[in-house]
Amino acid sequence: MRIIRRPSVYMVGRQVVNDAEIDRFLGDHGVASWSTDTEVAGEKLAEVAGRLCYMSFAKPRPGGNSKYLSHIKEVGHGSVLEHAVWNLLITGVSRSFTHELVRHRAGFGFSQLSQRYVDESVAEFVEPDCIADDPELHEIFRASVEQSQQAYIRLTEGLARKFADVSDATLRRKMARQAARSVLPNATETKIFVTANARALRHFIELRCNEHAETEIRIVAGMVLDVLQKDSPNLFGDYEFVELPDGTRGAKTEWRKV
Ligand SMILES: Cc1cc2nc3c(=O)[nH]c(=O)nc-3n(C[C@H](O)[C@H](O)[C@H](O)COP(=O)(O)OP(=O)(O)OC[C@H]3O[C@@H](n4cnc5c(N)ncnc54)[C@H](O)[C@@H]3O)c2cc1C
């Protein structure tokens, strides 16, 4: 049995701009040329979407993409930010984390490891730092998850015997695992593929990367913000990290919920 204490966030996908089609659209609408100063597809597409609303390609104000998107955030024209999308893969997190994450409905897509199909007899477990740091509490945690996993193994074996007359082996395993998983704890490690747009990600960061959020989701929200700030400073650079009393990070911005 392996215990995990750190999540991982992988940015596995980002958008690509079709510049030829933007130029064709502009040409069809009497705009001889328009350019912007970002190489980030999501930032450029958000600017194109915003400029489309007012057909403001011909005489853009100075300041480039950064100033343009700052103005969008300032006036709360949030739908423009929905055109910038990222794909993230998050691993080393608990089922309690994903239960909170999937409450974010607007602008998010999720695909999560299935406990009906995947054998959890080799699952790992995510231990909160405040438990892991204390030998006595850590031992309670370790013994408890080990006992749960042993119960899961015994239940899957017993259920496999009970469903022995089900000829489809995949269905038989699924029937056993879907019932046996009921004894697995919230700490069971899971993996989730997340696709979200910039507006939804900003809302997620504001709700979850602050002192009121639960610790694990706060840590992951900070890691998500790390990769987004690196990839798209014009959409996410306005957030500033602050250190919280427990040593984790919160994020603050002057533009809330665009
Ligand atoms: C600190 C904290 C504690 C929490 N505690 C609990 C708890 O004890 N129990 C619990 O059940 N949940 C709890 N939650 C979850 C919370 O209630 C939300 O479900 C979660 O934060 C997602 O927020 P959201 O609905 O704004 O996000 P999204 O679902 O992504 O929605 C984004 C925005 O879109 C709009 N929107 C989305 N759907 C609708 C709709 N159907 N109708 C109208 N407008 C809509 C709203 O403006 C919403 O803010 C907690 C969250 C936090 C941050």
Side-chain angles (χ1 to χ4, degrees), residues 65-230:
N65 179 269
S66 170
K67 186 131 189 235
Y68 185 82
L69 293 181
S70 292
H71 176 68
I72 292 287
K73 287 181 263 186
E74 188 182 349
V75 298
H77 194 174
S79 62
V80 164
L81 306 189
E82 294 173 19
H83 302 291
V85 173
W86 279 269
N87 311 104
L88 305 171
L89 219 164
I90 303 175
T91 67
V93 284
S94 68
R95 296 279 298 194
S96 19
F97 162 81
T98 53
H99 188 80
E100 294 193 352
L101 177 67
V102 300
R103 295 294 301 278
H104 292 265
R105 300 157 291 176
F108 274 88
F110 302 106
S111 298
Q112 182 171 6
L113 181 99
S114 168
Q115 287 190 324
R116 299 177 73 205
Y117 280 90
V118 174
D119 175 18
E120 293 284 41
S121 64
V122 290
E124 297 168 336
F125 297 92
V126 178
E127 184 176 18
D129 283 347
C130 58
I131 296 177
D133 291 346
D134 181 315
E136 201 179 316
L137 299 180
H138 167 73
E139 183 48 29
I140 296 171
F141 178 89
R142 193 205 56 72
S144 171
V145 294
E146 188 168 33
Q147 193 180 33
S148 296
Q149 195 163 39
Q150 288 307 316
Y152 171 85
I153 292 167
R154 288 203 305 278
L155 282 171
T156 48
E157 288 166 356
L159 288 162
R161 285 192 296 277
K162 188 181 175 93
F163 298 132
D165 58 337
V166 177
S167 56
D168 181 332
T170 306
L171 178 61
R172 192 170 60 242
R173 280 195 294 270
K174 192 170 84 173
M175 288 167 74
R177 287 169 186 166
Q178 72 189 10
R181 69 172 169 171
S182 58
V183 297
L184 289 173
N186 271 340
T188 309
E189 191 262 353
T190 186
K191 305 174 203 308
I192 190 161
F193 194 115
V194 183
T195 297
N197 67 57
R199 186 185 201 181
L201 286 161
R202 289 182 61 90
H203 183 54
F204 166 72
I205 288 159
E206 281 152 41
L207 286 182
R208 304 300 188 171
C209 196
N210 75 47
E211 67 271 32
H212 304 296
E214 189 271 339
T215 312
E216 186 181 10
I217 199 165
R218 186 192 314 151
I219 290 168
V220 175
M223 294 171 74
V224 167
L225 181 55
D226 281 333
V227 296
L228 291 170
Q229 283 194 323
K230 197 164 161 224

Side-chain angles (χ1 to χ4, degrees), residues 4-42:
I4 299 177
R5 291 187 57 192
R6 286 288 163 265
S8 299
V9 175
Y10 307 87
M11 180 181 283
V12 294
R14 60 165 76 84
Q15 292 167 294
V16 173
V17 177
N18 188 340
D19 284 309
E21 281 295 271
I22 292 178
D23 289 345
R24 190 166 73 86
F25 158 76
L26 294 172
D28 286 350
H29 292 80
V31 182
S33 77
W34 170 77
S35 64
T36 188
D37 59 356
T38 179
E39 299 296 317
V40 180

Side-chain angles (χ1 to χ4, degrees), residues 41-51 68-69 80-81 83-84 235:
E43 294 176 351
K44 184 166 182 175
L45 291 168
E47 183 174 348
V48 170
R51 291 199 181 282
Y68 185 82
L69 293 181
V80 164
L81 306 189
H83 302 291
L235 282 167

